[in-house]
Amino acid sequence: QVQLVESGGGLVEAGGSLRLSCKASGNIFMIDSMGWYRQAPGKQRELVAVISRGGGNTNYAESVKDRFTISRDNAKNEVYLQMDSLKSEDTAVYYCKGVNLPRWGRGEYWGQGTQVTVSS
């Protein structure tokens, strides 16, 4: 099993920045891609950004392109989300997700979430 713990959320004014961190522990060798998702009140959880195992490939939701940057440090077992030029519509609970390498079968792991609130 893999455990994921997010941190770094908080209250920020529109236009400001936050950096989220996700620390992985447990059977870390099983993890392939990792990503950040968010869920705003009354809305479905949505993908924000995803990064490949080696960090060479990233994908972003259109709504956050050119504002958010996902990265990972495999030596520290951490994934980050740098969020700049924050808007009120970025307010949500942000979740970290890890997906198994195919050799380990289907499996995905979620953190408990961290609240991000952007005041306008």
Side-chain angles (χ1 to χ4, degrees), residues 23-66:
K23 176 75 173 179
S25 61
N27 295 332
I28 301 162
F29 60 89
M30 297 173 67
I31 298 178
D32 189 2
S33 63
M34 296 194 71
W36 288 94
Y37 291 70
R38 68 185 181 187
Q39 188 166 18
K43 294 187 177 182
Q44 289 189 332
R45 192 172 297 187
E46 62 176 0
L47 172 70
V48 175
V50 63
I51 187 167
S52 61
R53 180 177 173 88
N57 291 309
T58 59
N59 278 297
Y60 297 90
E62 283 296 323
S63 59
V64 306
K65 274 184 180 179
D66 301 322

Side-chain angles (χ1 to χ4, degrees), residues 8-20 38 48 63-69 81-92 94 115-120:
L11 174 64
V12 64
E13 290 186 352
S17 298
L18 278 176
R19 187 190 193 217
L20 305 183
R38 68 185 181 187
V48 175
S63 59
V64 306
K65 274 184 180 179
D66 301 322
R67 298 190 299 122
F68 291 9
T69 303
L81 186 67
Q82 177 67 42
M83 305 186 295
D84 299 318
S85 303
L86 282 160
K87 304 176 181 180
S88 57
E89 51 262 45
D90 295 318
T91 295
Y94 283 71
Q115 176 71 48
V116 171
T117 302
V118 183
S119 63
S120 57

